[in-house]
Amino acid sequence: MGDSQYSFSLTTFSPSGKLVQIEHALTAVGSGQTSLGIKAANGVVIATEKKLPSILVEESSVQKIQTLTPNIGVVYSGMGPDFRVLVRKSRKQAEQYHRLYKEPIPVTQLVRETAAVMQEFTQSGGVRPFGVSLLVAGFDDKGPQLYQVDPSGSYFSWKASAMGKNVSNAKTFLEKRYTDDMELDDAVHTAILTLKEGFEGQISGKNIEIGIIGADKKFRVLSPAEIDDYLAEVE
Amino acid sequence: MSKSVIDLPPKGGFSFDLCRRNDMLSKKGLKSPSFLKTGTTIVGLIFQDGVILGADTRATEGPIVADKNCEKIHYMAPNIYCCGAGTAADTEAVTDMVSSQLQLHRYHTGRESRVVTALTLLKKHLFNYQGYVQAALVLGGVDCTGAHLHTIYPHGSTDTLPFATMGSGSLAAMAMFESKYKEGLTRDEGVKLVCEAICAGIFNDLGSGSNVDVCVITKGHKEYLRNHLLPNPRTYVNPNGFTFSKKTEVLLTKITPLKEKVEVIEGDAMEE
Protein backbone atom coordinates (compact mmCIF):
# COMPACT_ATOMS: atom_id res chain seq x y z
CA MET A 1 0.00 0.00 0.00
CA GLY A 2 1.07 3.53 0.53
CA ASP A 3 2.62 2.29 3.77
CA SER A 4 5.94 1.42 2.21
CA GLN A 5 6.42 5.02 1.20
CA TYR A 6 6.28 5.95 4.89
CA SER A 7 8.59 3.33 6.21
CA PHE A 8 11.69 5.48 6.03
CA SER A 9 10.93 8.01 8.70
CA LEU A 10 10.19 6.95 12.22
CA THR A 11 8.41 10.09 13.18
CA THR A 12 5.87 10.10 10.36
CA PHE A 13 2.55 8.31 10.58
CA SER A 14 1.53 6.22 7.60
CA PRO A 15 -1.94 6.80 6.06
CA SER A 16 -3.22 3.72 7.87
CA GLY A 17 -2.29 5.27 11.19
CA LYS A 18 0.71 3.10 11.93
CA LEU A 19 4.30 3.97 12.64
CA VAL A 20 5.92 1.54 10.26
CA GLN A 21 9.31 1.56 11.99
CA ILE A 22 7.72 0.23 15.14
CA GLU A 23 6.08 -2.55 13.16
CA HIS A 24 9.51 -3.41 11.77
CA ALA A 25 10.94 -3.35 15.29
CA LEU A 26 8.30 -5.84 16.37
CA THR A 27 9.31 -8.02 13.45
CA ALA A 28 12.90 -7.88 14.68
CA VAL A 29 11.65 -9.02 18.07
CA GLY A 30 9.62 -11.77 16.49
CA SER A 31 12.68 -13.24 14.84
CA GLY A 32 14.66 -13.26 18.07
CA GLN A 33 15.09 -16.27 20.32
CA THR A 34 12.04 -17.38 22.28
CA SER A 35 11.65 -16.14 25.80
CA LEU A 36 8.74 -16.48 28.22
CA GLY A 37 7.58 -15.64 31.68
CA ILE A 38 5.04 -17.14 34.10
CA LYS A 39 3.62 -15.60 37.24
CA ALA A 40 2.97 -18.13 39.98
CA ALA A 41 1.06 -17.62 43.21
CA ASN A 42 4.27 -17.14 45.20
CA GLY A 43 6.79 -15.97 42.63
CA VAL A 44 7.68 -15.36 38.99
CA VAL A 45 9.84 -17.32 36.57
CA ILE A 46 11.36 -16.04 33.31
CA ALA A 47 13.24 -18.18 30.84
CA THR A 48 14.86 -17.98 27.44
CA GLU A 49 16.66 -20.07 24.88
CA LYS A 50 20.38 -19.49 24.78
CA LYS A 51 21.34 -20.60 21.28
CA LEU A 52 24.90 -19.55 20.65
CA PRO A 53 26.10 -18.91 17.09
CA SER A 54 28.86 -21.52 17.38
CA ILE A 55 30.15 -24.17 19.79
CA LEU A 56 33.31 -22.14 20.15
CA VAL A 57 31.51 -19.32 21.98
CA GLU A 58 32.27 -19.25 25.72
CA GLU A 59 28.78 -20.03 26.96
CA SER A 60 29.32 -18.94 30.56
CA SER A 61 30.11 -15.41 29.45
CA VAL A 62 26.70 -14.94 27.83
CA GLN A 63 24.02 -13.89 30.26
CA LYS A 64 20.68 -13.05 28.74
CA ILE A 65 18.75 -12.71 31.99
CA GLN A 66 19.88 -9.68 34.00
CA THR A 67 19.16 -8.34 37.47
CA LEU A 68 17.89 -4.75 37.60
CA THR A 69 17.44 -4.52 41.37
CA PRO A 70 17.70 -7.22 44.03
CA ASN A 71 14.01 -7.97 43.53
CA ILE A 72 13.50 -7.32 39.80
CA GLY A 73 14.93 -9.27 36.87
CA VAL A 74 14.51 -8.96 33.12
CA VAL A 75 14.83 -11.07 29.96
CA TYR A 76 14.46 -10.08 26.30
CA SER A 77 13.78 -11.21 22.77
CA GLY A 78 15.43 -9.35 19.93
CA MET A 79 18.70 -7.45 19.64
CA GLY A 80 21.16 -8.10 22.45
CA PRO A 81 23.05 -4.78 22.24
CA ASP A 82 19.80 -2.80 22.51
CA PHE A 83 18.97 -4.85 25.59
CA ARG A 84 22.29 -3.96 27.21
CA VAL A 85 21.61 -0.24 26.79
CA LEU A 86 18.13 -0.57 28.31
CA VAL A 87 19.42 -2.60 31.25
CA ARG A 88 22.03 0.09 31.99
CA LYS A 89 19.43 2.85 31.87
CA SER A 90 16.93 0.93 34.00
CA ARG A 91 19.51 0.13 36.67
CA LYS A 92 20.44 3.77 36.88
CA GLN A 93 16.80 4.83 37.14
CA ALA A 94 16.20 2.30 39.91
CA GLU A 95 19.20 3.66 41.84
CA GLN A 96 18.04 7.26 41.36
CA TYR A 97 14.58 6.36 42.64
CA HIS A 98 16.15 4.73 45.65
CA ARG A 99 18.33 7.76 46.35
CA LEU A 100 15.34 10.06 46.15
CA TYR A 101 12.75 8.08 48.10
CA LYS A 102 14.92 5.67 50.11
CA GLU A 103 12.65 2.78 49.19
CA PRO A 104 13.26 0.03 46.64
CA ILE A 105 11.59 0.95 43.38
CA PRO A 106 8.19 -0.72 42.87
CA VAL A 107 8.03 -2.96 39.79
CA THR A 108 5.35 -0.83 38.09
CA GLN A 109 7.45 2.32 38.46
CA LEU A 110 10.54 0.74 36.94
CA VAL A 111 8.53 -0.68 34.06
CA ARG A 112 6.94 2.72 33.47
CA GLU A 113 10.28 4.49 33.40
CA THR A 114 11.85 1.91 31.08
CA ALA A 115 8.83 2.13 28.79
CA ALA A 116 9.18 5.92 28.80
CA VAL A 117 12.76 5.58 27.58
CA MET A 118 11.66 3.24 24.81
CA GLN A 119 8.89 5.63 23.81
CA GLU A 120 11.32 8.56 23.66
CA PHE A 121 13.20 6.74 20.94
CA THR A 122 10.03 6.50 18.87
CA GLN A 123 9.44 10.22 18.88
CA SER A 124 12.88 11.74 18.43
CA GLY A 125 14.88 12.71 15.41
CA GLY A 126 17.79 10.68 14.20
CA VAL A 127 17.21 7.63 16.38
CA ARG A 128 15.55 4.29 15.83
CA PRO A 129 13.30 2.31 18.16
CA PHE A 130 14.83 -0.40 20.35
CA GLY A 131 14.68 -3.81 18.69
CA VAL A 132 13.77 -5.67 21.90
CA SER A 133 10.74 -6.64 23.87
CA LEU A 134 11.36 -7.07 27.58
CA LEU A 135 9.80 -9.37 30.14
CA VAL A 136 10.24 -7.81 33.59
CA ALA A 137 9.72 -10.09 36.59
CA GLY A 138 9.56 -8.66 40.08
CA PHE A 139 8.28 -9.21 43.58
CA ASP A 140 7.41 -6.22 45.74
CA ASP A 141 4.74 -5.25 48.29
CA LYS A 142 2.00 -5.86 45.74
CA GLY A 143 3.17 -9.43 45.25
CA PRO A 144 4.69 -11.17 42.22
CA GLN A 145 4.38 -9.30 38.93
CA LEU A 146 5.26 -9.92 35.29
CA TYR A 147 5.31 -7.15 32.70
CA GLN A 148 6.01 -7.13 28.97
CA VAL A 149 7.40 -3.95 27.40
CA ASP A 150 7.32 -3.51 23.61
CA PRO A 151 9.52 -1.36 21.32
CA SER A 152 6.69 1.15 21.07
CA GLY A 153 6.87 1.75 24.81
CA SER A 154 3.59 0.09 25.67
CA TYR A 155 3.57 -2.29 28.58
CA PHE A 156 1.15 -4.89 29.88
CA SER A 157 0.97 -7.00 32.96
CA TRP A 158 0.70 -10.69 32.16
CA LYS A 159 -0.04 -13.88 34.04
CA ALA A 160 2.05 -15.69 31.45
CA SER A 161 3.55 -14.51 28.20
CA ALA A 162 5.98 -15.44 25.47
CA MET A 163 7.90 -13.54 22.80
CA GLY A 164 10.22 -14.27 19.92
CA LYS A 165 10.24 -16.98 17.27
CA ASN A 166 7.84 -19.50 18.64
CA VAL A 167 5.42 -17.06 20.21
CA SER A 168 2.08 -18.39 18.93
CA ASN A 169 2.77 -22.02 19.84
CA ALA A 170 4.22 -21.01 23.17
CA LYS A 171 1.24 -18.82 24.04
CA THR A 172 -1.25 -21.56 23.12
CA PHE A 173 0.68 -24.01 25.28
CA LEU A 174 0.74 -21.54 28.18
CA GLU A 175 -2.96 -20.81 27.88
CA LYS A 176 -3.70 -24.50 28.25
CA ARG A 177 -1.31 -25.10 31.10
CA TYR A 178 -1.69 -21.96 33.20
CA THR A 179 -3.57 -22.11 36.51
CA ASP A 180 -3.97 -19.24 38.96
CA ASP A 181 -2.79 -21.20 41.97
CA MET A 182 0.43 -22.50 40.44
CA GLU A 183 3.42 -22.78 42.74
CA LEU A 184 6.83 -21.47 41.68
CA ASP A 185 8.25 -24.96 41.09
CA ASP A 186 5.28 -25.90 38.87
CA ALA A 187 5.79 -22.68 36.98
CA VAL A 188 9.45 -23.56 36.34
CA HIS A 189 8.41 -26.97 35.01
CA THR A 190 5.78 -25.40 32.78
CA ALA A 191 8.33 -22.90 31.50
CA ILE A 192 10.75 -25.67 30.62
CA LEU A 193 8.05 -27.67 28.85
CA THR A 194 7.01 -24.59 26.87
CA LEU A 195 10.57 -23.96 25.76
CA LYS A 196 10.96 -27.61 24.86
CA GLU A 197 7.98 -27.37 22.49
CA GLY A 198 9.80 -25.33 19.92
CA PHE A 199 13.35 -26.29 20.78
CA GLU A 200 15.62 -27.53 18.01
CA GLY A 201 18.11 -30.00 19.31
CA GLN A 202 18.76 -31.34 22.77
CA ILE A 203 17.65 -29.10 25.63
CA SER A 204 20.07 -28.89 28.56
CA GLY A 205 21.16 -26.56 31.35
CA LYS A 206 23.71 -25.02 28.99
CA ASN A 207 21.37 -23.79 26.27
CA ILE A 208 18.52 -22.31 28.27
CA GLU A 209 18.55 -19.69 30.97
CA ILE A 210 16.03 -19.45 33.82
CA GLY A 211 15.58 -16.69 36.38
CA ILE A 212 13.26 -16.95 39.37
CA ILE A 213 12.07 -14.74 42.18
CA GLY A 214 10.22 -16.24 45.13
CA ALA A 215 8.65 -15.03 48.35
CA ASP A 216 12.13 -14.12 49.60
CA LYS A 217 12.05 -11.26 47.07
CA LYS A 218 15.52 -12.05 45.75
CA PHE A 219 15.87 -12.42 42.02
CA ARG A 220 18.42 -14.96 40.91
CA VAL A 221 19.50 -16.74 37.77
CA LEU A 222 19.61 -20.51 38.12
CA SER A 223 22.94 -22.23 37.54
CA PRO A 224 23.21 -24.82 34.72
CA ALA A 225 23.33 -27.57 37.38
CA GLU A 226 20.04 -26.41 38.92
CA ILE A 227 18.42 -26.24 35.48
CA ASP A 228 19.57 -29.79 34.78
CA ASP A 229 17.89 -30.87 38.04
CA TYR A 230 14.61 -29.30 36.95
CA LEU A 231 14.98 -30.89 33.51
CA ALA A 232 15.43 -34.29 35.11
CA GLU A 233 12.24 -33.74 37.13
CA VAL A 234 10.35 -32.85 33.99
CA GLU A 235 11.45 -35.92 32.02
CA MET B 1 9.30 18.67 16.84
CA SER B 2 11.82 16.33 18.41
CA LYS B 3 12.29 16.05 22.14
CA SER B 4 15.83 16.40 23.34
CA VAL B 5 16.81 12.87 24.30
CA ILE B 6 20.14 13.77 25.86
CA ASP B 7 19.97 15.42 29.28
CA LEU B 8 22.47 18.26 29.46
CA PRO B 9 24.80 17.37 32.32
CA PRO B 10 24.53 19.94 35.15
CA LYS B 11 27.40 22.41 35.08
CA GLY B 12 28.59 21.21 38.47
CA GLY B 13 30.24 23.15 41.25
CA PHE B 14 28.56 25.69 43.46
CA SER B 15 26.82 28.84 42.33
CA PHE B 16 28.17 31.77 44.30
CA ASP B 17 25.51 34.20 43.05
CA LEU B 18 24.10 34.97 46.47
CA CYS B 19 27.45 35.68 48.16
CA ARG B 20 27.23 39.42 47.71
CA ARG B 21 23.73 39.51 49.16
CA ASN B 22 24.75 37.36 52.12
CA ASP B 23 27.72 39.62 52.76
CA MET B 24 25.48 42.67 52.75
CA LEU B 25 22.98 41.02 55.08
CA SER B 26 25.63 39.98 57.59
CA LYS B 27 27.05 43.53 57.57
CA LYS B 28 23.55 44.69 58.46
CA GLY B 29 23.64 42.39 61.46
CA LEU B 30 21.82 39.24 60.27
CA LYS B 31 23.30 36.11 61.80
CA SER B 32 23.60 33.41 59.15
CA PRO B 33 22.19 30.02 60.23
CA SER B 34 24.89 27.71 61.46
CA PHE B 35 25.03 24.24 59.98
CA LEU B 36 24.91 20.98 61.80
CA LYS B 37 28.46 19.79 62.35
CA THR B 38 29.36 16.45 63.74
CA GLY B 39 32.16 17.62 66.09
CA THR B 40 33.12 14.02 66.25
CA THR B 41 35.65 11.43 66.99
CA ILE B 42 35.95 8.81 64.27
CA VAL B 43 38.58 6.09 64.17
CA GLY B 44 39.58 3.03 62.20
CA LEU B 45 42.15 0.34 62.60
CA ILE B 46 43.29 -2.77 60.77
CA PHE B 47 43.39 -5.96 62.80
CA GLN B 48 44.45 -9.45 61.82
CA ASP B 49 41.20 -10.44 60.07
CA GLY B 50 40.07 -7.10 58.66
CA VAL B 51 39.05 -3.60 59.64
CA ILE B 52 37.31 -2.09 62.68
CA LEU B 53 35.67 1.34 62.47
CA GLY B 54 34.42 3.35 65.44
CA ALA B 55 32.56 6.61 65.97
CA ASP B 56 30.87 8.64 68.68
CA THR B 57 27.22 9.66 68.31
CA ARG B 58 26.96 13.38 69.08
CA ALA B 59 25.91 15.94 66.46
CA THR B 60 26.41 19.60 67.44
CA GLU B 61 25.01 22.86 66.16
CA GLY B 62 27.37 25.40 67.63
CA PRO B 63 27.24 24.89 71.40
CA ILE B 64 24.05 22.84 71.31
CA VAL B 65 23.82 19.09 70.99
CA ALA B 66 21.45 18.62 68.06
CA ASP B 67 21.38 14.82 68.03
CA LYS B 68 22.41 12.74 71.02
CA ASN B 69 22.51 9.48 69.10
CA CYS B 70 23.24 10.00 65.43
CA GLU B 71 24.79 7.43 63.10
CA LYS B 72 28.18 8.39 61.80
CA ILE B 73 29.18 5.05 60.29
CA HIS B 74 27.68 5.02 56.81
CA TYR B 75 27.08 2.06 54.52
CA MET B 76 28.97 2.17 51.22
CA ALA B 77 28.89 -1.46 50.07
CA PRO B 78 28.28 -4.80 51.79
CA ASN B 79 32.02 -4.97 52.48
CA ILE B 80 32.85 -1.26 52.86
CA TYR B 81 31.80 1.24 55.52
CA CYS B 82 32.71 4.90 55.95
CA CYS B 83 32.80 7.12 59.05
CA GLY B 84 32.12 10.80 58.44
CA ALA B 85 33.22 13.94 60.30
CA GLY B 86 32.49 17.54 59.39
CA THR B 87 29.20 18.93 58.17
CA ALA B 88 26.60 16.19 58.70
CA ALA B 89 24.70 16.96 55.51
CA ASP B 90 27.86 16.81 53.44
CA THR B 91 29.04 13.49 54.84
CA GLU B 92 25.62 11.90 54.38
CA ALA B 93 25.09 13.22 50.88
CA VAL B 94 28.54 12.26 49.68
CA THR B 95 28.48 8.75 51.14
CA ASP B 96 24.96 8.19 49.80
CA MET B 97 25.96 9.26 46.33
CA VAL B 98 29.10 7.14 46.17
CA SER B 99 27.22 4.16 47.64
CA SER B 100 24.74 4.46 44.75
CA GLN B 101 27.55 4.66 42.20
CA LEU B 102 29.21 1.60 43.72
CA GLN B 103 25.94 -0.34 43.46
CA LEU B 104 25.64 0.45 39.76
CA HIS B 105 29.28 -0.49 39.27
CA ARG B 106 28.61 -3.83 40.99
CA TYR B 107 25.73 -4.55 38.64
CA HIS B 108 27.79 -3.79 35.58
CA THR B 109 30.91 -5.71 36.58
CA GLY B 110 29.27 -8.52 38.56
CA ARG B 111 32.02 -8.23 41.17
CA GLU B 112 32.41 -7.16 44.79
CA SER B 113 33.34 -3.47 45.16
CA ARG B 114 36.91 -2.60 46.05
CA VAL B 115 37.84 -0.10 48.74
CA VAL B 116 40.09 1.83 46.35
CA THR B 117 37.11 2.29 44.01
CA ALA B 118 35.12 3.94 46.79
CA LEU B 119 38.20 5.94 47.73
CA THR B 120 38.73 7.27 44.22
CA LEU B 121 35.06 8.15 43.69
CA LEU B 122 35.01 10.06 46.98
CA LYS B 123 38.25 11.94 46.46
CA LYS B 124 37.33 12.94 42.91
CA HIS B 125 34.07 14.41 44.11
CA LEU B 126 35.63 16.26 47.04
CA PHE B 127 38.46 17.66 44.94
CA ASN B 128 35.94 18.87 42.37
CA TYR B 129 34.29 21.01 45.02
CA GLN B 130 37.65 22.36 46.23
CA GLY B 131 37.00 21.74 49.90
CA TYR B 132 33.58 23.38 50.04
CA VAL B 133 32.01 19.97 50.66
CA GLN B 134 33.19 19.68 54.25
CA ALA B 135 33.42 15.96 54.72
CA ALA B 136 36.38 14.31 56.41
CA LEU B 137 36.03 10.55 56.08
CA VAL B 138 37.56 7.37 57.41
CA LEU B 139 36.92 4.65 54.83
CA GLY B 140 37.50 1.00 55.62
CA GLY B 141 36.66 -2.36 54.12
CA VAL B 142 37.80 -5.80 53.08
CA ASP B 143 37.84 -6.83 49.42
CA CYS B 144 39.55 -9.40 47.24
CA THR B 145 42.90 -7.63 47.65
CA GLY B 146 42.73 -7.59 51.46
CA ALA B 147 41.82 -5.19 54.27
CA HIS B 148 42.18 -1.46 53.62
CA LEU B 149 41.84 1.68 55.71
CA HIS B 150 41.97 5.20 54.28
CA THR B 151 41.38 8.76 55.45
CA ILE B 152 39.98 11.38 53.08
CA TYR B 153 40.29 15.11 53.75
CA PRO B 154 37.74 17.72 52.62
CA HIS B 155 40.04 19.03 49.89
CA GLY B 156 40.42 15.60 48.35
CA SER B 157 43.73 14.27 49.63
CA THR B 158 43.88 10.75 51.01
CA ASP B 159 46.08 8.64 53.26
CA THR B 160 46.40 4.90 53.58
CA LEU B 161 47.11 3.88 57.15
CA PRO B 162 47.00 0.94 59.56
CA PHE B 163 45.15 3.10 62.11
CA ALA B 164 43.53 6.50 61.69
CA THR B 165 41.48 9.10 63.53
CA MET B 166 39.57 12.17 62.31
CA GLY B 167 37.36 14.88 63.77
CA SER B 168 37.67 17.28 66.66
CA GLY B 169 38.42 14.41 69.03
CA SER B 170 41.08 12.93 66.78
CA LEU B 171 44.00 13.97 68.97
CA ALA B 172 42.56 12.32 72.07
CA ALA B 173 41.81 9.16 70.09
CA MET B 174 45.19 9.15 68.36
CA ALA B 175 46.90 9.34 71.74
CA MET B 176 45.22 6.02 72.65
CA PHE B 177 46.15 4.44 69.34
CA GLU B 178 49.73 5.58 69.35
CA SER B 179 50.38 4.09 72.74
CA LYS B 180 48.40 0.85 72.44
CA TYR B 181 48.24 -0.16 68.75
CA LYS B 182 50.21 -3.14 67.54
CA GLU B 183 50.01 -5.30 64.43
CA GLY B 184 48.05 -8.54 64.46
CA LEU B 185 45.41 -7.53 67.02
CA THR B 186 42.62 -10.02 67.60
CA ARG B 187 39.00 -8.98 67.13
CA ASP B 188 38.30 -8.47 70.83
CA GLU B 189 41.54 -6.55 71.40
CA GLY B 190 40.76 -4.40 68.38
CA VAL B 191 37.20 -3.60 69.47
CA LYS B 192 38.45 -2.79 72.97
CA LEU B 193 41.11 -0.44 71.62
CA VAL B 194 38.62 1.29 69.32
CA CYS B 195 36.21 1.78 72.23
CA GLU B 196 39.01 3.22 74.37
CA ALA B 197 39.95 5.63 71.62
CA ILE B 198 36.37 6.81 71.09
CA CYS B 199 35.82 7.14 74.83
CA ALA B 200 38.96 9.28 75.00
CA GLY B 201 37.32 11.54 72.44
CA ILE B 202 33.92 11.47 74.17
CA PHE B 203 35.30 12.46 77.58
CA ASN B 204 37.99 14.92 76.51
CA ASP B 205 36.43 16.71 73.53
CA LEU B 206 33.32 18.88 73.75
CA GLY B 207 32.33 18.14 70.18
CA SER B 208 32.09 14.40 70.81
CA GLY B 209 29.90 12.57 73.23
CA SER B 210 27.12 10.09 73.99
CA ASN B 211 27.64 6.55 72.76
CA VAL B 212 30.15 4.44 70.85
CA ASP B 213 29.29 2.80 67.52
CA VAL B 214 31.56 0.06 66.21
CA CYS B 215 31.68 -1.74 62.88
CA VAL B 216 33.80 -4.86 62.35
CA ILE B 217 34.43 -5.89 58.73
CA THR B 218 36.11 -9.16 57.81
CA LYS B 219 36.29 -11.19 54.60
CA GLY B 220 32.74 -12.02 53.64
CA HIS B 221 31.20 -10.83 56.90
CA LYS B 222 30.40 -7.60 58.69
CA GLU B 223 29.03 -6.67 62.12
CA TYR B 224 27.51 -3.27 62.70
CA LEU B 225 27.45 -2.82 66.48
CA ARG B 226 25.21 0.17 66.95
CA ASN B 227 25.59 1.68 70.43
CA HIS B 228 28.13 -0.92 71.39
CA LEU B 229 28.98 1.12 74.51
CA LEU B 230 26.71 3.52 76.37
CA PRO B 231 29.04 5.36 78.75
CA ASN B 232 26.67 8.33 79.19
CA PRO B 233 23.30 7.11 80.40
CA ARG B 234 20.69 9.48 81.85
CA THR B 235 21.30 8.76 85.50
CA TYR B 236 18.18 10.14 87.14
CA VAL B 237 14.77 11.08 85.84
CA ASN B 238 12.21 12.32 88.35
CA PRO B 239 9.15 10.07 88.00
CA ASN B 240 6.88 12.94 89.10
CA GLY B 241 7.91 15.11 86.18
CA PHE B 242 8.04 18.88 86.54
CA THR B 243 5.84 20.97 88.79
CA PHE B 244 5.58 24.73 88.55
CA SER B 245 4.46 26.52 91.69
CA LYS B 246 1.66 29.04 91.32
CA LYS B 247 3.08 32.56 91.68
CA THR B 248 0.01 34.70 90.93
CA GLU B 249 -3.13 34.80 93.11
CA VAL B 250 -6.46 34.46 91.27
CA LEU B 251 -8.87 37.25 92.32
CA LEU B 252 -11.68 37.03 89.77
CA THR B 253 -12.80 34.53 87.09
CA LYS B 254 -15.08 35.83 84.28
CA ILE B 255 -15.80 33.84 81.12
CA THR B 256 -17.15 35.67 78.06
CA PRO B 257 -18.23 33.41 75.15
CA LEU B 258 -17.00 34.56 71.72
CA LYS B 259 -19.63 36.02 69.39
CA GLU B 260 -19.81 34.85 65.81
CA LYS B 261 -19.08 37.79 63.51
CA VAL B 262 -19.41 35.93 60.25
CA GLU B 263 -22.61 34.23 59.17
CA VAL B 264 -22.14 31.06 57.16
CA ILE B 265 -24.78 30.67 54.40
CA GLU B 266 -24.84 27.61 52.17
CA GLY B 267 -24.66 29.05 48.67
CA ASP B 268 -23.88 28.21 45.06
CA ALA B 269 -20.37 27.71 43.81
CA MET B 270 -18.61 30.85 42.63
CA GLU B 271 -19.53 31.90 39.11
CA GLU B 272 -16.50 32.26 36.87
Side-chain angles (χ1 to χ4, degrees), chain A residues 51-59:
Chain A
K51 284 262 199 49
L52 300 165
S54 136
I55 53 165
L56 291 175
V57 174
E58 191 63 74
E59 143 282 301

Side-chain angles (χ1 to χ4, degrees), chain B residues 170-185:
Chain B
S170 62
L171 266 63
M174 189 52 99
M176 298 302 295
F177 272 174
E178 286 283 10
S179 53
K180 295 196 183 170
Y181 181 82
K182 57 186 200 311
E183 288 196 5
L185 287 165

Side-chain angles (χ1 to χ4, degrees), chain B residues 9-250:
Chain B
K11 287 224 175 97
F14 286 114
S15 149
F16 291 97
D17 295 339
L18 288 174
C19 280
R20 206 171 273 165
R21 179 206 81 154
N22 290 341
D23 238 7
M24 184 263 299
L25 283 172
S26 61
K27 279 206 191 77
K28 294 227 172 121
L30 177 74
K31 265 199 304 200
S32 57
S34 69
F35 29 75
L36 187 64
K37 299 201 115 212
T38 54
T40 303
T41 311
I42 49 174
V43 304
L45 61 76
I46 295 191
F47 72 112
Q48 68 184 18
D49 299 324
V51 165
I52 306 178
L53 300 172
D56 74 301
T57 59
R58 174 182 287 181
T60 51
E61 202 173 307
I64 304 172
V65 175
D67 191 345
K68 287 186 280 245
N69 204 0
C70 70
E71 277 185 37
K72 298 187 192 178
I73 305 186
H74 307 285
Y75 168 89
M76 298 286 271
N79 57 328
I80 307 174
Y81 273 75
C82 185
C83 306
T87 307
D90 286 341
T91 59
E92 276 184 35
V94 120
T95 50
D96 235 10
M97 191 193 72
V98 172
S99 165
S100 233
Q101 289 177 340
L102 286 175
Q103 171 71 282
L104 281 174
H105 190 67
R106 275 201 296 285
Y107 276 133
H108 295 144
T109 56
R111 293 193 174 101
E112 199 184 48
S113 299
R114 297 192 186 190
V115 184
V116 285
T117 315
L119 178 72
T120 313
L121 288 168
L122 284 165
K123 77 192 289 190
K124 273 185 84 168
H125 182 82
L126 292 175
F127 179 74
N128 239 348
Y129 284 86
Q130 286 292 296
Y132 282 98
V133 174
Q134 277 168 10
L137 309 165
V138 170
L139 176 72
V142 180
D143 57 33
C144 60
T145 55
H148 299 276
L149 181 67
H150 303 278
T151 52
I152 310 165
Y153 292 84
H155 283 267
S157 61
T158 59
D159 285 322
T160 311
L161 300 159
F163 58 93
T165 66
M166 293 282 258
S168 54
S170 62
L171 266 63
M174 189 52 99
M176 298 302 295
F177 272 174
E178 286 283 10
S179 53
K180 295 196 183 170
Y181 181 82
K182 57 186 200 311
E183 288 196 5
L185 287 165
T186 65
R187 183 194 175 278
D188 292 327
E189 288 173 348
V191 171
K192 185 158 161 296
L193 183 54
V194 160
C195 288
E196 283 178 4
I198 300 284
C199 285
I202 286 175
F203 292 119
N204 298 299
D205 174 45
L206 286 180
S208 315
S210 297
N211 317 117
V212 181
D213 283 349
V214 176
C215 185
V216 183
I217 310 173
T218 54
K219 183 115 184 88
H221 182 63
K222 61 154 190 285
E223 272 177 80
Y224 183 61
L225 305 164
R226 168 85 173 135
N227 288 0
H228 179 66
L229 264 187
L230 295 104
N232 293 302
R234 293 270 308 266
T235 41
Y236 177 73
V237 183
N238 190 339
N240 298 327
F242 289 103
T243 50
F244 297 98
S245 52
K246 290 205 168 87
K247 296 269 168 164
T248 324
E249 214 186 299
V250 178

